[in-house]
Amino acid sequence: MSTADTAPGDASTEQEATGGGPAAPADWRRLDRRTVLLAALLTGGVAAGAAVPTTLGLSGRLGFGPAVAWVLTGAALLIAFGAGADYVRWRRTRYRVGADRVELHTGLLLVKKRSLARERIRSVDLTAHLLQRVLGLVTVRIGTGEHTGGESTLELDPVLRAEGERLRRALLERGLTATSGSHREGELVSLDPRWIRYAPLSFVAPALGGAAAGAVLQVSDWFGAQGQVIDWVGDRYRDTSLLSVLVLLAVAVVLAGVVGALGLWVEMWWNYRLEREPGGTLRIRRGLLTSRSVSIEERRLRGVDLVEPFGIRLLGAARIDAITTGLAKDDEEQHGDHNTLLPAAPRLVADTVAAAVLRETTSPTGAPLTAHPTTARGRRLRRALWAVLVLVLVLALLGVLLTPVLLWVALGCAAVGLPAGVLLARDAYRGLGHALSGDYLVTRSGALRRSTAALERAGVIGWTVRQSYLQRRAGLLDITATTAAGAGAYTVYDVDAAEGLDFASEAVQGLLEPFLERLAASGRGPAAERVAAGEPAGE
């Protein structure tokens, strides 16, 4: 079967989008023809990157002249193959936007025909890397938000930017109605360059520093010079103590991580803008070299998550993530900031943006929270102490069996780990809290990554109550609100048993009551409760 048989009107496929409403059922379109040039340029970049080490490797065996000739020939064949393959893909790819469905036909030997019902489309996101931006192209990713792999997403790569914008408006405007609330439309917040000061304090910085050190060793190994690099470093610091060398190397790794974190932040968040479009759609635009545009319908928004990583929290900053249904997540975006509405910014700005996004006067993330029992603090202290003691005991045992050096390492871990563990445990306890704020339930937890989630009460579809043996003895439990949005579950940790069940019962009335038995007051509060299965929730 051929796609040409299912794509009548080839003349119309050559037409470029010029705006207007959705295409007629017979109006099949092709991707932009410059995809072939784009493929040739990208393949040429890969070939150029591989040319230098390949030439050096071949020159020792063939001589420099023949090595260059072989490399140039191989690069030309590689570029021709890449451009030819993309030409075939361009010729065999059609798409159209009908009144009810979006269809995509592609393939040569294996023809794929896929379509999405327009009523199920939840996101139309635009991305464009540097070469695409130079050529005026974008990649359009149309998704239903279902977690069924690539079958829930159609990707048009690439089309003209004007065509991408037309598709985004046409596919998201259906069924949109004005959302209640008095907050303004247009730009809600834009980038403040001073926010870059938070980038080095994220957990990305040490990871990038370690990756840079590993890359130096890996590249030197490719050229057979890893030993020489290590010897060169050793010669430079031959008269320096081992401790000083370790400190200097640690400082170098940290500096490399800081530089990398700053560069990554600029690439990801430059030109950032958060806008509310007519009809109730939030749009996030950002990116320096690769531009990104993410659209979120407000009717799918179920709340926000105010995230405060430890280093950023020390400077009084936080970021805002959306709790929403149907946000497309494919393999490329699985670990990205696809749902981030606001990068790390001052807490006051974060609360203001959260309130504007939710169309509230004040953000529920700033509501006063109910503290948890002091027994929850004891649980965290014990966990922290056990974690440090187990590590210290293992190191001490290995030191006795192998080398006394590990005994000193164990002593250092104990001296540093125990105070740090106690401080983190106490901080984690202070971070615990829950509350009801208008239409939202709020839960906060975490130390290294503190999260304050404000979830719309109407978005809760179930409750999960968990209570371990030790929690039962302490009169505590974990209660989790399940939802179809965001992470899918938001937990109130180590809350008083009766208080937690009262909280869940009040948050979504009628959902938990069939599973509860209310008992007479027992001196612990106005009422104690237990799960109807008969297992006491607290003693």
Side-chain angles (χ1 to χ4, degrees), residues 61-80:
R61 182 179 304 178
L62 304 176
F64 184 74
V68 171
W70 277 106
V71 168
L72 291 177
T73 302
L77 292 176
L78 183 64
I79 294 172

Side-chain angles (χ1 to χ4, degrees), residues 34-277:
R34 281 171 290 185
T35 182
V36 180
L37 173 60
L38 192 63
L41 293 175
L42 291 175
T43 309
V46 174
V52 174
T54 304
T55 301
L56 293 176
L58 292 177
S59 61
R61 182 179 304 178
L62 304 176
F64 184 74
V68 171
W70 277 106
V71 168
L72 291 177
T73 302
L77 292 176
L78 183 64
I79 294 172
F81 177 80
D86 214 61
Y87 175 79
V88 173
R89 182 180 73 90
W90 173 72
R91 291 287 301 179
R92 304 298 296 180
T93 301
R94 303 285 192 277
Y95 72 93
R96 68 177 177 182
V97 179
D100 300 318
R101 308 191 71 82
V102 179
E103 301 175 78
L104 176 66
H105 293 179
T106 187
L108 178 60
L109 300 179
L110 178 62
V111 178
K112 293 184 179 180
K113 296 183 176 181
R114 298 175 52 208
S115 67
L116 298 178
R118 290 188 61 175
E119 63 182 11
R120 300 180 64 184
I121 292 174
R122 297 293 180 264
S123 63
V124 182
D125 300 333
L126 312 181
T127 60
H129 55 69
L130 184 59
L131 285 177
Q132 286 179 323
R133 295 177 66 181
V134 170
L135 297 175
L137 306 174
V138 295
T139 297
V140 181
R141 188 173 292 111
I142 305 168
T144 64
E146 299 171 354
H147 300 284
T148 56
E151 298 304 317
S152 63
T153 304
L154 294 183
E155 186 172 275
L156 308 179
D157 180 23
V159 297
L160 279 176
R161 176 171 289 279
E163 166 72 344
E165 293 288 348
R166 184 191 71 84
L167 288 172
R168 193 188 70 83
R169 290 192 300 269
L171 295 176
L172 290 180
E173 71 184 3
R174 86 287 178 264
L176 292 180
T177 57
T179 306
S180 61
S182 59
H183 282 75
R184 70 183 188 277
E185 294 181 346
E187 185 178 282
L188 301 182
V189 64
S190 60
L191 180 72
D192 185 340
R194 291 175 296 179
W195 298 347
I196 196 174
R197 66 183 183 270
Y198 304 121
L201 299 177
S202 68
F203 295 115
V204 174
L208 291 176
V216 170
L217 295 177
Q218 183 62 58
V219 172
S220 63
D221 183 57
W222 288 345
F223 292 93
Q226 188 177 90
Q228 299 175 14
V229 171
I230 295 175
D231 291 340
W232 181 85
V233 174
D235 292 339
R236 293 297 179 275
Y237 299 99
R238 187 178 302 277
D239 299 328
T240 307
S241 66
L242 177 61
L243 179 60
S244 299
V245 172
L246 293 177
V247 170
L248 289 173
L249 291 178
V251 170
V253 169
V254 169
L255 290 177
V258 168
V259 172
L262 293 174
L264 183 62
W265 187 93
V266 171
E267 156 57 17
M268 292 183 61
W269 295 108
W270 201 252
N271 294 323
Y272 160 81
R273 295 190 305 279
L274 173 62
E275 303 166 332
R276 173 178 284 120
E277 297 182 328

Side-chain angles (χ1 to χ4, degrees), residues 364-390:
T365 56
L369 301 182
T370 300
H372 289 197
T374 55
T375 48
R377 179 179 59 193
R379 283 172 53 81
R380 278 149 183 77
L381 287 170
R382 286 191 292 271
R383 283 201 294 260
L385 293 177
W386 273 113
V388 176
L389 288 176
V390 168

Side-chain angles (χ1 to χ4, degrees), residues 195-501:
W195 298 347
I196 196 174
R197 66 183 183 270
Y198 304 121
L201 299 177
S202 68
F203 295 115
V204 174
L208 291 176
V216 170
L217 295 177
Q218 183 62 58
V219 172
S220 63
D221 183 57
W222 288 345
F223 292 93
Q226 188 177 90
Q228 299 175 14
V229 171
I230 295 175
D231 291 340
W232 181 85
V233 174
D235 292 339
R236 293 297 179 275
Y237 299 99
R238 187 178 302 277
D239 299 328
T240 307
S241 66
L242 177 61
L243 179 60
S244 299
V245 172
L246 293 177
V247 170
L248 289 173
L249 291 178
V251 170
V253 169
V254 169
L255 290 177
V258 168
V259 172
L262 293 174
L264 183 62
W265 187 93
V266 171
E267 156 57 17
M268 292 183 61
W269 295 108
W270 201 252
N271 294 323
Y272 160 81
R273 295 190 305 279
L274 173 62
E275 303 166 332
R276 173 178 284 120
E277 297 182 328
T281 298
L282 297 172
R283 186 178 189 185
I284 305 103
R285 306 191 205 194
R286 58 188 177 89
L288 178 62
L289 300 179
T290 299
S291 65
R292 303 166 181 87
S293 170
V294 179
S295 299
I296 300 174
E297 293 176 334
E298 287 187 84
R299 62 175 181 163
R300 297 188 288 107
L301 193 66
R302 296 294 178 264
V304 296
D305 190 4
L306 187 142
V307 182
E308 302 169 276
F310 185 75
I312 292 172
R313 178 159 54 92
L314 292 178
L315 294 185
R319 78 166 191 264
I320 297 292
D321 291 347
I323 300 176
T324 181
T325 61
L327 192 61
K329 279 190 178 182
D330 58 14
D331 292 338
E332 294 181 6
E333 298 286 353
Q334 192 71 29
H335 304 289
D337 295 325
H338 202 53
N339 64 335
T340 299
L341 297 174
L342 176 75
R347 176 63 188 267
L348 179 61
V349 175
D351 283 331
T352 302
V353 171
V357 165
L358 298 177
R359 295 180 181 265
E360 298 287 339
T361 305
T362 58
S363 173
T365 56
L369 301 182
T370 300
H372 289 197
T374 55
T375 48
R377 179 179 59 193
R379 283 172 53 81
R380 278 149 183 77
L381 287 170
R382 286 191 292 271
R383 283 201 294 260
L385 293 177
W386 273 113
V388 176
L389 288 176
V390 168
L391 177 61
V392 170
L393 290 175
V394 170
L395 290 173
L397 179 61
L398 293 176
V400 172
L401 298 177
L402 300 177
T403 172
V405 173
L406 292 178
L407 293 176
W408 290 103
V409 175
L411 180 61
C413 288
V416 175
L418 289 175
V422 170
L423 291 175
L424 287 175
R426 294 177 65 88
D427 184 63
Y429 169 71
R430 286 193 297 268
L432 291 177
H434 65 279
L436 295 178
S437 177
D439 295 332
Y440 297 88
L441 63 88
V442 184
T443 175
R444 186 177 68 190
S445 62
L448 295 179
R449 181 190 182 276
R450 179 167 294 175
S451 168
T452 306
L455 176 63
E456 190 176 25
R457 294 156 74 172
V460 178
I461 59 177
W463 291 100
T464 301
V465 180
R466 292 187 177 89
Q467 190 177 47
S468 68
Y469 173 75
L470 294 177
Q471 282 180 313
R472 186 159 55 248
R473 289 179 59 87
L476 305 174
L477 56 76
D478 296 341
I479 187 159
T480 301
T482 57
T483 177
Y490 295 88
T491 302
V492 182
Y493 293 100
D494 284 337
V495 65
D496 177 81
E499 188 176 275
L501 294 174

